């Protein structure tokens, strides 16, 4: 059973929504965030990346940064830049990228279901990354950014959502600077609210699609508040975390590609000979980048040429749902044994390029700071679900979701 409840969201004044909305905190560095918010005092980056309003010498994890975020969020409310709904509601959040919509419910999910694994994970988290958002949420007394959840689509929930869209006007409808349409409806009728809540109780599991660290951080802040309030009843806001929950059928996982700094001491000829043991290597036809069209095929850019790599059957274990993923096949049979990338999480010789950047970005990187690039075929939502269902995790940097959720369109206060 999935616990999904409405909440009193703090959200932008409709006239300012397009100015408040920002990219998630973790898709840019400090310098990029400062540039994005330049000349826009309403940008939510002043909350999510509050270090941009402090001297560059200030450590981004210093206490003063989190205090600044809290101060700015309070000011946004006091000045009417952001307002709070009078009663608990659900929100419908639709994004459209390149003509493809994805439409989810903005709601609160239970931290208990995160702890007991009703909310399924497919990635490991790193404590150092968790700590930053723990402090941010704790100092701000709010889930300051949502997490991206998915579920196996149910017709009854979809019908409720699309009926509401058909019969109500959105409160926000704008296009962000990156070309994504953001549309938001407020569901404020009790009958519909109750129907959504009851229908989600028939959903077996929710799945973290993107935002494992934010989810872990929000849950740990809730557990911390429980320790501070030993007589808590369970219905307090700190027992819940803010999510946007999408049906799987509307989601797109993009490729998450790799670039490597060198050939581990090999010449190009030696490298091509070595990888031919486990992959069929062919020069790609035409002048365009080679984009893999099926599982177990890879694009490789080396010395100004694109190659098609096809994994040989003897290295594919279709009985193991993790090992049969292309990211695992590439890591186990090429990146580690040939290029010496033992741990892709920590090795400084490897970098990762989200599919939204395109394959031309892989070419560019090999001309700037890298030697060889690999384009991968993305995993499916069903593969993600199947791995999470059995408590396994996917290899690092397996999934890239687009579009990213905008930050600043909704905030969930913890008390």
């Amino acid at each position: 059973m999935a616990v999904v409840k409405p909440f009193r969201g703090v959200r932008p004044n409709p006239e300012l929504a397009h100015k408040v909305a920002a990219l998630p905190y973790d898709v840019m560095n400090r310098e990029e965030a400062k540039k994005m918010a330049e000349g826009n005092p309403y940008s939510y980056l002043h909350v999510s990346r509050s270090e941009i309003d402090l001297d560059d010498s200030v450590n981004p994890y210093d206490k003063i940064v989190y205090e600044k975020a809290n101060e700015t969020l309070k000011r946004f409310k006091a000045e009417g830049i952001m307002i709070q709904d009078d009663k608990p509601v659900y929100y419908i959040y639709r994004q459209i990228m390149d003509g493809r919509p994805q439409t989810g419910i903005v709601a609160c999910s239970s931290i208990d279901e995160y702890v007991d694994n009703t909310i399924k994970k497919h990635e490991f988290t790193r404590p150092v990354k968790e700590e930053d958002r723990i402090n941010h949420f704790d100092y701000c007394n709010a889930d300051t950014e949502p997490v991206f959840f998915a579920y196996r689509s149910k017709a009854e929930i979809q019908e409720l959502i699309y009926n509401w869209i058909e019969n109500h006007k959105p409160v926000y409808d704008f296009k962000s600077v990156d070309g994504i349409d953001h549309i938001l409806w407020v569901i404020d009728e009790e009958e519909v609210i109750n129907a959504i809540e009851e229908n989600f109780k028939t959903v077996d599991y929710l799945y973290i699609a993107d935002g494992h660290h934010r989810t872990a951080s929000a849950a740990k802040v809730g557990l911390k508040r429980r320790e501070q309030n030993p007589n808590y009843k369970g219905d307090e806001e700190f027992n819940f975390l803010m999510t946007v929950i999408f049906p799987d059928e509307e989601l797109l996982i993009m490729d998450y590609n790799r670039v490597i700094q060198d050939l581990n001491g090999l010449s190009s000829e030696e490298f091509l000979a070595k990888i031919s043991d486990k992959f069929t290597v062919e020069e790609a036809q035409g002048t365009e980048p080679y984009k893999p069209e099926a599982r177990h095929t890879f694009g490789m850019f080396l010395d100004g040429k694109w190659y098609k790599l096809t994994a040989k059957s003897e290295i594919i274990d279709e009985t193991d749902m993790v090992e049969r993923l292309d990211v695992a096949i590439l890591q186990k049979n090429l990146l580690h044994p040939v290029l010496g990338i033992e741990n892709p999480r920590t090795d400084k010789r490897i970098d990762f390029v989200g599919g939204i950047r395109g394959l031309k970005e892989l070419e560019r990187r090999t001309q700037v700071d890298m030697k060889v690039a690999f384009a991968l075929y993305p995993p499916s939502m069903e593969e993600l679900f199947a791995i999470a269902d059995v408590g396994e995790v996917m290899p690092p940097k397996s999934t890239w979701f687009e579009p990213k959720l905008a930050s600043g369109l909704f905030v969930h206060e913890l008390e």
Side-chain angles (χ1 to χ4, degrees):
M1 180 183 83
V3 173
V4 171
K5 68 183 287 289
F7 68 104
R8 294 180 62 216
V10 176
R11 55 187 180 85
N13 181 317
E15 295 179 359
L16 298 174
H18 65 291
K19 293 185 176 182
V20 173
L23 288 171
Y25 82 100
D26 57 350
V27 302
M28 81 282 288
N29 60 32
R30 183 178 191 158
E31 182 180 352
E32 290 167 336
K34 183 177 288 189
K35 187 173 182 179
M36 288 177 186
E38 189 175 9
N40 181 7
Y42 306 111
S43 173
Y44 194 71
L45 290 172
H46 295 291
V47 176
S48 62
R49 295 298 298 261
S50 53
E51 67 269 25
I52 66 176
D53 294 321
L54 300 169
D55 190 84
D56 287 346
S57 63
V58 175
N59 187 311
Y61 307 115
D62 194 286
K63 175 183 176 183
I64 191 174
V65 174
Y66 306 114
E67 291 174 335
K68 182 66 175 177
N70 180 42
E71 173 192 312
T72 303
L73 185 57
K74 285 182 175 178
R75 178 173 60 81
F76 276 15
K77 287 185 66 179
E79 294 179 359
I81 297 169
M82 299 187 77
I83 55 178
Q84 186 168 31
D85 283 301
D86 294 331
K87 67 175 188 176
V89 297
Y90 287 119
Y91 308 89
I92 299 172
Y93 180 32
R94 171 174 285 174
Q95 298 172 288
I96 304 174
M97 182 182 78
D98 298 331
R100 182 185 64 82
Q102 59 183 35
T103 307
I105 285 284
V106 186
C108 278
S109 298
S110 165
I111 65 170
D112 289 311
E113 293 196 340
Y114 176 80
V115 172
D116 70 18
N117 209 35
T118 300
I119 295 171
K120 298 288 187 179
K121 306 95 173 165
H122 69 268
E123 287 182 6
F124 288 123
T125 57
R126 293 163 56 194
V128 65
K129 289 189 69 175
E130 289 180 20
E131 191 64 29
D132 169 52
R133 289 301 101 173
I134 287 173
N135 288 330
H136 199 274
F137 297 163
D138 206 15
Y139 274 83
C140 290
N141 189 39
D143 296 326
T144 53
E145 290 189 306
V147 288
F148 189 148
F149 278 16
Y151 69 101
R152 288 187 172 90
S153 182
K154 290 188 74 72
E156 296 84 354
I157 297 174
Q158 292 298 91
E159 184 177 353
L160 288 165
I161 291 172
Y162 280 88
N163 280 346
W164 188 272
I165 288 172
E166 187 176 339
N167 293 292
H168 297 82
K169 290 183 178 180
V171 293
Y172 309 146
D173 187 349
F174 64 91
K175 188 183 292 289
S176 54
V177 293
D178 56 357
I180 307 300
D181 291 302
H182 302 268
I183 312 170
L184 193 81
W185 292 262
V186 178
I187 300 178
D188 55 4
E189 292 180 9
E190 287 300 320
E191 183 178 350
V192 180
I193 289 172
N194 292 337
I196 290 172
E197 191 166 3
E198 289 303 309
N199 272 284
F200 265 104
K201 289 179 181 177
T202 68
V203 172
D204 292 330
Y205 302 112
L206 300 178
Y207 298 81
I208 304 172
D210 195 12
H212 282 74
H213 287 94
R214 270 168 285 167
T215 309
S217 299
K220 288 181 178 179
V221 170
L223 295 174
K224 179 180 178 181
R225 295 293 175 95
R226 287 180 175 182
E227 291 179 3
Q228 296 167 346
N229 299 272
N231 295 320
Y232 75 92
K233 297 178 181 178
D235 58 355
E236 299 88 350
E237 291 301 320
F238 58 72
N239 294 290
F240 303 91
L241 59 100
M242 182 172 60
T243 60
V244 187
I245 311 168
F246 293 95
D248 59 333
E249 62 189 17
E250 294 190 9
L251 297 180
L252 173 68
I253 302 178
M254 299 186 75
D255 42 312
Y256 210 162
N257 302 314
R258 276 85 169 123
V259 286
I260 315 296
Q261 202 169 64
D262 56 66
L263 296 182
N264 198 28
L266 300 171
S267 68
S268 295
E269 293 75 18
E270 290 169 332
F271 171 70
L272 288 169
K274 273 187 171 291
I275 66 175
S276 295
D277 290 342
K278 296 185 177 180
F279 298 85
T280 301
V281 182
E282 309 166 75
E283 280 195 35
Q285 301 300 309
T287 59
E288 291 300 307
Y290 175 72
K291 188 176 181 64
E293 298 175 347
R295 296 170 64 232
H296 310 332
T297 61
F298 307 82
M300 182 177 75
F301 191 70
L302 174 69
D303 297 338
K305 292 182 182 179
W306 278 99
Y307 296 84
K308 175 184 177 181
L309 308 185
T310 304
K312 294 183 178 179
S313 59
E314 59 264 28
I315 69 170
I316 302 170
D317 181 3
E318 292 289 3
T319 66
D320 188 310
M321 62 181 64
V322 174
E323 293 298 319
R324 71 189 182 198
L325 294 174
D326 285 349
V327 286
I329 290 171
L330 188 70
Q331 175 62 32
K332 184 177 179 179
N333 296 281
L334 195 159
L335 299 186
H336 182 200
V338 180
L339 293 179
I341 306 293
E342 184 174 355
N343 186 345
R345 289 181 182 275
T346 58
D347 198 308
K348 302 299 184 184
R349 295 167 53 234
I350 187 171
D351 199 5
F352 305 89
V353 179
I356 191 68
R357 306 291 295 275
L359 298 187
K360 288 290 186 181
E361 176 65 10
L362 301 185
E363 294 183 0
R364 188 192 72 82
R365 289 295 300 271
T366 64
Q367 296 163 2
V368 175
D369 60 345
M370 295 290 172
K371 175 63 177 177
V372 62
F374 298 93
L376 284 80
Y377 189 78
S380 67
M381 285 300 302
E382 191 49 48
E383 286 176 313
L384 184 156
F385 285 169
I387 288 169
D389 281 342
V390 296
E392 296 282 354
V393 295
M394 301 177 85
K397 310 292 185 182
S398 292
T399 58
W400 182 276
F401 285 91
E402 285 288 346
K404 302 295 184 187
L405 303 180
S407 292
L409 293 184
F410 20 79
V411 172
H412 168 235
E413 292 191 333
L414 301 180
E415 293 179 5

